[in-house]
Amino acid sequence: MMGMGKPSITIVSPAPGATVSGSFTVRVQVKNYDLSCALFGKPNLDGWGHWHLNLDSATGGMMGMGGMTGMSCTDTIQVSTSGLKPGSTHTLIALLVDNEHVPLMPMIASEVKVRIG
């Protein structure tokens, strides 16, 4: 499309260094990329997809899906701290992926470190 800039994703909330506990919401701002639930698992359409939220790693087996805590086609996702040690620090990684769940290359991601309360 004409006039489309480079896609980007930014974690807006929680703030870096925030303490999170229980179930919390991660909110992102996505620019120059269209999010769609209807296209999950469908053939790729340039400029369309969704985002994955990973914990601590965006690489490894299954394109980092081992560290994936969820996927979203809106600007929010609910995350649970269940199983994470209170007081520990983890990195939330939001990354843009295509309809087939493959991260865009080069990777377009945003990271925020949080503390488990």
Side-chain angles (χ1 to χ4, degrees), residues 20-106:
V20 296
S21 59
S23 177
F24 67 99
T25 301
V26 174
R27 182 178 298 276
V28 298
Q29 182 176 46
V30 174
K31 291 184 178 158
N32 301 317
Y33 200 65
D34 292 307
L35 302 178
S36 169
C37 296
L39 294 172
F40 271 10
K42 299 269 191 336
N44 282 326
L45 201 56
D46 203 32
W48 290 82
H50 56 282
W51 58 282
H52 289 176
L53 185 71
N54 284 29
L55 193 64
D56 299 325
S57 171
T59 57
M62 291 272 305
M63 290 107 38
M65 285 176 109
M68 190 173 81
T69 60
M71 60 183 81
S72 178
C73 52
T74 66
D75 65 350
T76 62
I77 195 169
Q78 283 300 119
V79 184
S80 170
T81 58
S82 174
L84 300 177
K85 193 171 179 245
S88 61
T89 300
H90 293 277
T91 304
L92 299 172
I93 306 164
L95 58 152
L96 289 178
V97 300
D98 65 23
N99 296 335
E100 295 174 349
H101 309 289
V102 178
L104 300 186
M105 287 294 159

